[in-house]
Amino acid sequence: MGQSTSTAVISSRRENNQSHRSKAKSTTLISPMHSDDVEDYDWIPDGGLDYISELPDECLACIFQSLGSGDRKRCSLVCKRWLQIEGQSRHRLSLNAQSDLLPKIPSLFSRFDAVTKLALKCDRRSASIGDDALNLISLKCRNLMRLKLRACRELTDAGMEVFAKNCKSLKKLSCGSCTFGAKGMNAVLDNCSALEELSVKRLRGITDGATAEPIGPGVAASSLKTICLKELYNGHCFGPVIIGAKNLRTLKLFRCSGDWDKLLRVMTDRASSLVEIHLERIQVSDLGLVAISSCLDLEILHLVKTPECTNVGLVSLAERCRLLRKLHIDGWKANRIGDEGLIAVAKGCPNLQELVLIGVNPTKPSLESLASNCKNLERLALCGSDTVGDVEISCIAAKCVALKKLCIKSCPVSDQGLEALAGGCPNLVKVKLKKCRGVTPEGADWLRATRESLAVNLDTGELEHQDASASDGGAQENAVEFPPPMPSQVAAAASIASSSSSRSSSLKSRLGLLTGRGLVACTLRRWSSGNGSARGS
Amino acid sequence: MANNGENPSPDVGGKTVKLKADDGEIFEVEEAVAMELQTVKSFFDDDGVSYDTVVPLLNVSSTALAKVIQYCRRAVELRAKSGDDEGANEKAREEREGLEAELVREESDEGIKELILAANYLNIKDMLSFLCRAVGDRIKNKSVEYVRRFFVLENDFSPEEEERTRNEVAWAFEGVDAD
């Protein structure tokens, strides 16, 4: 299709068209970031036709909004008008926060004068921006809503306080590998009364032991909805803000040392509106689970590698948290959570939509119970279960009527199990099989051919990168990258789980095969330095 | 897609509205569809303007207006289909995305720009949004020079200014901040 309108019509429509139709003049310095543009556009039309090309500001801003940062950079170099509009419509900015950013701040933020979401990331080797830079930024971005800090090690408590006083509208703060401490954190909580989300990872300035200063609650306590703490030695000093956040909906604790049962109990003794809880590699036991069972609105629970949580705790939780929709359990092959707990979940939580079990050994009775009682179970992932074989798959196929997505990883399932899937789970849309030695490509092909509407994904690879899994259990299942252990090692794991000090060395030797990147490699590094001991950077 | 000047007459007994494109062509459109164009809606929101009044859309060509009307008609139909049912909503959403993709796929670069101008002038938020995204897709990962040619724009930076801007921009990360 083309424009068949006449010149007269177009010129009556055009307001201020400054463009020529001339071929673009050759300019120096244009070195495209991506030189994949090979087409030669001949824009010189015949006759006197002018093309419409002057889009109003708001349309340009709308176009820029759909572009990533690299493309926006290129657009800002098109012409002066675009530079201006791009800068004014840029709400999200990510800057390399090295110390030499300081002199650029005035010009950067007069160009980008509408930034509400800012990331300041430094790398480990460089000196980061200091308090003066953060101060300057905070004066320019009074309406800042989100701030992300990464490895800005030169920022101090004083700097954070100045920032907090200037940016009182802050809604989300995420800081990782920073070195300020409780004073700085308290300054944020005392000034940013609209703060909804707080994420802290590795805050080095929180001192240990007796000198630990409590953090919170602050004026932000009533607005906070999400608190996420990772890899903190003294995470307990956040106790006051966790307990004080009356409207907290999401709590995530990852690899923070210390015993968390008591805090969970104190937190849930007061009315708790928690909807989502993630507990990973922290010291929590059935006492903690009993405390959590007071959260009657709980919908999402992740229990990852918390071997002190057993069937007992899970049963009491299942009896009260009736609204549970998503449950992820990584039992770490400790066999402390199994059929008994799962049957209680089946009976107590009819709304269950998503279930991910890693290193847990459910057998037919619990699978049947889940299938019969959880009529809305749409997504199921079973990883590293020694007890899930063809019989269990058949049971799932026969009874999980609502199931849409199924993922089986490192389980003793064979092609025979696939045969069951061909005829069962009427709503099944996708099945993913990973590292199940008994499943062959031929079996997968057969299933694809037999059931054409079903997407079958078979992965027999030894070691792969952490792929972006399409199933909803993605984050959890990708964490299991080690090969299924031999039965003797399972027994070893069970005994290891109860003595934390020997855990690191035995598992490390088992995982010695693995090299390279990924979650497991990072985990290895952490374990090898021992639990709770001081870590270098 | 639309032929020039196609003007399907409404088959419902409901009210219709007359819209006049810049070349004088009149389009008679169902009221519900016409109200998708916020500019038209505002026109009638004024007291005392009768629905018989022909709405003059001086800045919109008949080609563009025909396409806009066609899109809005389908959008209204699809919206009626979706309701409380999650499955129906999903299906309606997919159909709408298919409709949008179809509309932009056949358009030339010039055509899309013209539609953006029309959607902006007529104030149709959803349409403007996906059209802008479509243009964004067409200039993604292209060179600065390509973008200039696409929009028929001249580089009015001096070499020094351009160098300065380039350096300033180097402080931003290449990737998109996932947040």
Side-chain angles (χ1 to χ4, degrees), chain A residues 1-289:
Chain A
M1 80 132 271
Q3 298 303 305
S4 53
T5 44
S6 66
T7 315
V9 173
I10 293 175
S11 49
S12 72
R13 221 179 325 162
R14 224 179 332 123
E15 275 142 13
N16 46 349
N17 186 356
Q18 305 158 355
S19 66
H20 303 307
R21 299 151 289 94
S22 57
K23 223 177 181 129
K25 64 184 184 196
S26 62
T27 48
T28 57
L29 296 177
I30 308 292
S31 51
M33 315 272 185
H34 298 266
S35 51
D36 49 6
D37 163 31
V38 242
E39 286 172 283
D40 196 356
Y41 272 66
D42 185 351
W43 290 98
I44 303 180
D46 299 324
L49 272 182
D50 273 330
Y51 283 88
I52 314 122
S53 54
E54 204 59 47
L55 292 176
D57 292 5
E58 59 270 23
C59 294
L60 280 182
C62 191
I63 293 172
F64 295 152
Q65 210 178 337
S66 69
L67 300 174
S69 130
D71 286 311
R72 289 189 76 130
K73 266 199 266 184
R74 282 187 279 284
C75 285
S76 62
L77 291 167
V78 163
C79 63
K80 288 184 184 174
R81 178 174 168 247
W82 277 43
L83 174 66
Q84 186 190 22
I85 297 171
E86 197 281 324
Q88 288 166 350
S89 62
R90 180 82 95 121
H91 301 306
R92 183 183 291 200
L93 198 60
S94 183
L95 297 176
N96 192 343
Q98 291 174 3
S99 52
D100 34 3
L101 177 64
L102 180 57
K104 299 272 185 181
I105 289 172
S107 64
L108 265 175
F109 286 93
S110 61
R111 176 175 155 194
F112 301 113
D113 58 1
V115 172
T116 54
K117 301 173 193 172
L118 180 64
L120 298 168
K121 303 183 188 178
C122 187
D123 63 84
R124 280 155 217 266
R125 286 161 313 217
S126 314
S128 76
I129 50 166
D131 292 341
D132 44 1
L134 187 63
N135 179 18
L136 206 48
I137 290 171
S138 68
L139 288 170
K140 303 233 172 239
C141 302
R142 302 304 293 262
N143 296 324
L144 200 66
M145 295 212 333
R146 296 197 204 172
L147 178 67
K148 189 186 280 194
L149 300 170
R150 293 287 179 267
C152 296
R153 288 178 302 275
E154 304 301 315
L155 296 177
T156 71
D157 289 327
M160 288 305 293
E161 186 170 352
V162 170
F163 163 79
K165 289 187 167 147
N166 288 331
C167 296
K168 294 194 182 226
S169 314
L170 197 70
K171 281 195 168 170
K172 178 174 170 178
L173 175 65
S174 166
C175 53
S177 303
C178 292
T179 53
F180 61 89
K183 282 197 170 55
M185 200 53 72
N186 276 322
V188 172
L189 293 173
D190 287 334
N191 282 288
C192 304
S193 57
L195 194 69
E196 290 180 0
E197 203 171 319
L198 179 65
S199 251
V200 184
K201 180 174 172 176
R202 287 200 219 129
L203 194 62
R204 310 263 167 89
I206 309 176
T207 50
D208 221 314
T211 53
E213 191 181 323
I215 295 175
V219 304
S222 51
S223 57
L224 272 170
K225 296 208 178 94
T226 300
I227 293 177
C228 177
L229 305 178
K230 290 188 184 184
E231 292 175 40
L232 298 178
Y233 287 116
N234 213 356
H236 281 86
C237 47
F238 281 87
V241 66
I242 293 175
I243 292 165
K246 299 279 183 287
N247 298 314
L248 198 67
R249 287 174 62 85
T250 300
L251 177 65
K252 298 185 187 182
L253 301 170
F254 288 67
R255 299 181 294 274
C256 296
S257 49
D259 193 311
W260 290 88
D261 284 335
K262 189 170 165 208
L263 189 139
L264 287 171
R265 201 185 66 230
V266 174
M267 182 183 73
T268 55
D269 268 351
R270 316 186 180 188
S272 178
S273 48
L274 279 172
V275 168
E276 183 170 350
I277 298 178
H278 291 229
L279 305 174
E280 177 169 328
R281 291 291 313 269
I282 64 169
Q283 179 58 41
V284 62
S285 75
D286 287 335
L287 291 173
L289 288 187

Side-chain angles (χ1 to χ4, degrees), chain A residues 281-352:
Chain A
R281 291 291 313 269
I282 64 169
Q283 179 58 41
V284 62
S285 75
D286 287 335
L287 291 173
L289 288 187
V290 169
I292 291 172
S293 70
S294 305
C295 302
L296 303 179
D297 295 329
L298 192 69
E299 292 181 27
I300 302 174
L301 177 64
H302 289 222
L303 280 177
V304 178
K305 301 190 173 101
T306 53
E308 303 302 313
C309 294
T310 74
N311 281 324
V312 173
L314 189 56
V315 166
S316 59
L317 193 140
E319 281 168 1
R320 301 188 72 198
C321 300
R322 307 247 142 193
L323 299 181
L324 201 64
R325 272 190 308 118
K326 296 187 186 182
L327 178 63
H328 289 214
I329 300 179
D330 184 339
W332 222 352
K333 296 193 181 279
N335 277 323
R336 309 202 75 192
I337 289 180
D339 284 340
E340 194 189 325
L342 293 173
I343 290 172
V345 168
K347 292 191 177 150
C349 311
N351 289 349
L352 197 67

